[in-house]
Amino acid sequence: MKQSINFFFPFRLAAIFLLFALFSCESNGQKNYDESDWSNRRKIPAYIVEELPSSPDSLEPTQHFNFYKYGSVDDSLVNAFKTELESAVAAIEKFTGKQLGKSSLKCLLYPSPEMKGLLLKNSAPCHVDFDNLEIHVVVNDFFADHYLGIANELILSHLLGQAKNTALQKGLAIYFSANWQKWGHQYWAHKLLTGRQMPPVIDILSENKWENGSTIIYGTATASFCGFLIRHFGEEEFLKNYQNGFTDIAELTKFEPKWRKYINATPSENMASRPAELTYVKGFNFAHEGYRVYNGYGSSKASQSLRHQKNMEANAVAVVPYTYARYPKKPYPIPVVKGTGAENDESVIQSSEEAQELGLKVILKPQIWVGRGMWTGDIEMQKDEDWKLFFDHYGHWISHYAMLSEIYGWEMLCIGNELVQTSLNREPNWKKLIWDLRVLYNGHLTYAANWGDEFENVSFWDELDYIGLNCYYPLSHKDDPSDQELAEGFDLVVSKIERVYNKYKKPIIFTEIGFPCIQSPWKEPHNDWGDFVPNAEHQRRCYEIVFNGIKNKPWCNGILWWKYPSDLEPLRRNRQTGFTPHGKAAENVVAKWFPQLD
């Protein structure tokens, strides 16, 4: 979708940076909607603000915590969380030799990232307010105790004071979280090391690396390193050094080889089973739209959109979290986006898990936006050493999503999207990365190739489970061709697809295909940005042509239309001419055809 991206990117990138600016601070949990408040600047509808609870309800305290909840939180989950939290306190007290005061800390519970984000402008599954001695945590079926390690930071801080090295404090907190990311830090440390994605000591002890990197990866690594240091020094000596801040970081880096041997000495068996082979995939690329807590992924509006897709007999959804690349011609770390309102982990998890509850398979399809009027296909390093750095950064970023997909049992991971220069020119790098990802993730892998040269010439399809095609081949160059002419145009597309299939004998999924709702969309199916005339009938015709063209094709294992919005309200100015079929004639075509495909 090169041309469309070039037009739209500056607006999306501006939204991403605005989110970082607006949502970088945390509050103490008190709601305050005055004229200068973020909610007014972000224009949260009044009816949403009015529906938010004005104050929390008190719950039964435990020995060390007073508990409060906003909204409806399941009692059984609350009790399980209380038990886990008190178990962590007992372990930390024993380790430190210090006692936590009775009900000296406060824990506020929320039923969803959406409510937490609306109340606090922080939607993270768990965060700590050290000033007010508060833990704020989302308690529902999707998050459970996977993030308890973050809560443990408050306990450690209260008993030992703030560590001079905050990375070590985070790592030690996770060390006392038995169910960190479902299977614990030792399990994931061995996976990361075996999959060649374990960061070095110098990185995991750097606050700057944590800021935009994977909290799951850095948290796992630092917890493992803390475990090694405790084993090496003994508990008493470790605590003395911990409180002094382990000031000589360079000295700690000398332990790198011994730490890696320590990880290798505690291998863990694979905990996740491989999902069954995918049945015919029918669904949409699910677009996070609006960049607000109440209308993007994780929101009640997104839940409504997912149910709407299910009602059309969709059986799958592609969830598409975006990040950005600052410089397409030189290596630079690729951020794991964390801003409230963006496609952060908690919103991706919430919507993906809701999709699975509806019976939809989840294809996680992380993507990169590139600035300065460019496109991911333009990412191209100039030197071999820069290519190595690029794949190091890319490997860290995509490994984060591989781990999320494994933890939550999502059926497929799309490992890249339209990275044309990388896929056509760096085959060995991709093959190495695919091997690494298979260590972290047991599900199915695909790659979404851009139509044309990339799709037809990628040489690592045999390493993947499915061939992915972002299909925007033109069907005709005429302004008003007949249906027969459009069908013949799609037959030419099918012949290109079949040549790839015949070479690799891998099932093919349309990881993207779509047409904007404009006059003659068949001429440039990828382009929806400009002064176009809306034409729902022309969009509808294209949908009919494609469905007719793929029926009973043995190579086709599914179709994911581009795209369906997280917010069904017509708020976007380009929604009328945009790609979504929602509320247009093409939507009826989808509802007619999805039940017929298998």
Side-chain angles (χ1 to χ4, degrees):
M1 295 186 65
K2 179 177 179 180
Q3 187 172 345
S4 177
I5 287 174
N6 285 346
F7 278 111
F8 183 60
F9 176 76
F11 302 98
R12 186 174 190 117
L13 186 60
I16 291 173
F17 282 116
L18 179 61
L19 282 165
F20 276 105
L22 286 175
F23 304 130
S24 60
C25 60
E26 296 178 357
S27 82
N28 63 3
Q30 300 303 310
K31 196 153 65 81
N32 178 24
Y33 297 109
D34 59 32
E35 287 304 313
S36 64
D37 190 74
W38 73 287
S39 60
N40 292 300
R41 293 200 300 272
R42 298 301 291 161
K43 297 180 181 178
I44 295 179
Y47 75 90
I48 292 179
V49 173
E50 291 168 0
E51 290 175 356
L52 291 173
S54 58
S55 60
D57 296 323
S58 297
L59 298 175
E60 185 73 24
T62 60
Q63 182 179 354
H64 300 102
F65 289 89
N66 290 308
F67 284 86
Y68 304 86
K69 70 171 182 177
Y70 283 97
S72 177
V73 182
D74 185 272
D75 288 342
S76 63
L77 295 177
V78 171
N79 291 332
F81 181 76
K82 287 179 176 181
T83 300
E84 290 293 333
L85 193 56
E86 287 293 342
S87 295
V89 170
I92 294 171
E93 285 181 333
K94 181 180 179 181
F95 178 76
T96 61
K98 298 177 181 291
Q99 298 296 308
L100 199 63
K102 183 176 180 180
S103 297
S104 56
L105 304 178
K106 192 174 180 181
C107 190
L108 293 97
L109 311 178
Y110 306 81
S112 68
E114 179 183 29
M115 183 175 288
K116 184 172 181 284
L118 288 169
L119 288 169
L120 304 185
K121 53 185 179 283
N122 182 329
S123 60
C126 181
H127 83 268
V128 170
D129 180 346
F130 292 103
D131 292 335
N132 292 291
L133 301 180
E134 294 175 349
I135 298 167
H136 296 265
V137 60
V138 176
V139 176
N140 64 26
D141 286 326
F142 307 148
F143 296 98
D145 51 7
H146 294 9
Y147 292 85
L148 185 63
I150 297 169
N152 290 344
E153 286 188 59
L154 183 61
I155 303 168
L156 285 168
S157 173
H158 201 56
L159 292 176
L160 300 175
Q162 283 285 89
K164 291 182 180 178
N165 186 295
T166 57
L168 280 177
Q169 179 172 289
K170 293 176 185 295
L172 187 59
I174 292 167
Y175 175 82
F176 288 104
S177 177
N179 299 321
W180 170 250
Q181 300 306 329
K182 195 172 184 177
W183 295 302
H185 73 272
Q186 288 181 310
Y187 174 83
W188 284 115
H190 192 265
K191 288 286 187 183
L192 286 168
L193 188 63
T194 306
R196 297 180 288 201
Q197 295 300 327
M198 177 62 80
V201 170
I202 193 67
D203 283 358
I204 66 175
L205 298 183
S206 166
E207 293 181 41
N208 292 334
K209 294 288 185 179
W210 278 72
E211 185 177 354
N212 291 321
S214 167
T215 302
I216 298 176
I217 293 176
Y218 284 127
T220 294
T222 313
S224 172
F225 190 60
C226 283
F228 163 76
L229 292 176
I230 291 167
R231 173 80 64 87
H232 178 80
F233 288 109
E235 292 181 5
E236 184 176 345
E237 187 68 18
F238 170 85
L239 279 172
K240 185 188 302 182
N241 284 308
Y242 171 83
Q243 290 179 289
N244 292 332
F246 279 102
T247 51
D248 191 350
I249 300 300
E251 191 67 27
L252 287 180
T253 62
K254 294 179 181 178
F255 289 114
E256 182 104 33
K258 291 183 178 179
W259 169 47
R260 291 176 181 258
K261 287 182 180 178
Y262 163 82
I263 296 171
N264 264 330
T266 55
S268 49
E269 63 178 290
N270 189 34
M271 301 295 290
S273 58
R274 181 172 171 82
E277 292 303 309
L278 291 179
T279 54
Y280 198 102
V281 170
K282 300 175 286 188
F284 298 90
N285 283 266
F286 186 37
H288 172 96
E289 297 197 352
Y291 278 88
R292 291 163 172 81
V293 177
Y294 66 88
N295 61 7
Y297 291 159
S299 67
S300 55
K301 288 181 179 289
S303 304
Q304 179 187 10
S305 179
L306 286 168
R307 290 192 296 270
H308 201 78
Q309 294 170 60
K310 176 66 175 178
N311 290 340
M312 284 186 282
E313 298 294 330
N315 67 1
V317 61
V319 179
V320 191
Y322 276 90
T323 186
Y324 56 89
R326 294 179 185 273
Y327 308 109
K329 301 299 181 183
K330 62 180 181 179
Y332 200 84
I334 301 171
V336 175
V337 173
K338 299 171 185 175
T340 299
E343 298 106 315
N344 51 45
D345 285 354
E346 58 268 22
S347 62
V348 168
I349 292 166
Q350 183 77 25
S351 284
S352 296
E353 290 295 279
E354 287 181 359
Q356 283 198 328
E357 284 192 340
L358 289 170
L360 300 173
K361 302 175 185 68
V362 174
I363 294 95
L364 191 64
K365 190 166 169 275
Q367 298 193 21
I368 300 174
W369 284 86
V370 184
R372 301 177 183 177
M374 301 187 79
W375 165 56
T376 50
D378 297 318
I379 292 175
E380 184 177 19
M381 302 300 108
Q382 308 304 304
K383 299 179 292 186
D384 282 345
E385 55 264 38
D386 286 349
W387 273 117
K388 181 185 182 305
L389 273 176
F390 168 79
F391 274 97
D392 286 346
H393 296 319
Y394 190 86
H396 176 86
W397 175 74
I398 196 65
S399 292
H400 172 84
Y401 290 105
M403 292 173 74
L404 272 188
S405 299
E406 182 79 342
I407 291 163
Y408 289 95
W410 300 333
E411 285 83 358
M412 179 180 284
L413 174 67
C414 184
I415 66 170
N417 190 81
E418 298 181 4
L419 290 154
V420 176
Q421 298 304 321
T422 75
S423 66
L424 294 181
N425 298 311
R426 307 298 298 190
E427 177 190 359
N429 297 90
W430 276 106
K431 287 188 172 182
K432 174 181 175 294
L433 179 58
I434 291 166
W435 188 93
D436 294 345
L437 293 173
R438 288 204 185 277
V439 174
L440 297 173
Y441 174 60
N442 282 302
H444 305 290
L445 296 180
T446 189
Y447 173 89
N450 193 48
W451 59 280
D453 190 43
E454 185 184 26
F455 168 70
E456 295 164 32
N457 292 288
V458 163
S459 57
F460 54 79
W461 289 129
D462 53 350
E463 303 291 328
L464 299 168
D465 302 301
Y466 294 87
I467 295 172
L469 168 59
N470 289 356
C471 186
Y472 298 96
Y473 287 99
L475 305 187
S476 174
H477 297 291
K478 293 183 177 181
D479 289 335
D480 193 17
S482 66
D483 284 351
Q484 179 62 31
E485 288 172 315
L486 289 176
E488 290 171 355
F490 192 66
D491 284 343
L492 293 176
V493 175
V494 168
S495 67
K496 298 175 188 292
I497 295 171
E498 289 179 341
R499 279 197 291 272
V500 174
Y501 174 74
N502 289 333
K503 181 176 181 180
Y504 292 99
K505 299 299 183 184
K506 295 274 184 176
I508 293 173
I509 293 175
F510 289 95
T511 40
E512 289 180 23
I513 187 169
F515 301 87
C517 187
I518 62 175
Q519 192 83 22
S520 307
W522 45 75
K523 295 169 71 174
E524 290 186 307
H526 62 277
N527 187 12
D528 74 330
W529 195 262
D531 187 18
F532 293 119
V533 176
N535 193 317
E537 172 59 18
H538 280 193
Q539 184 190 43
R540 184 201 67 78
R541 289 176 64 196
C542 292
Y543 272 63
E544 283 280 7
I545 292 298
V546 169
F547 275 125
N548 269 299
I550 64 173
K551 67 180 180 182
N552 300 323
K553 296 294 185 184
W555 49 264
C556 186
N557 208 80
I559 184 167
L560 295 164
W561 288 97
W562 184 269
K563 58 184 176 174
Y564 215 81
S566 57
D567 184 357
L568 299 182
E569 294 181 19
L571 301 178
R572 290 272 301 281
R573 65 180 180 180
N574 69 332
R575 184 73 61 78
Q576 189 179 10
T577 58
F579 278 93
T580 179
H582 174 60
K584 303 168 187 174
E587 190 168 43
N588 296 327
V589 179
V590 173
K592 178 186 76 174
W593 273 98
F594 270 180
Q596 301 179 44
L597 297 177
D598 54 33

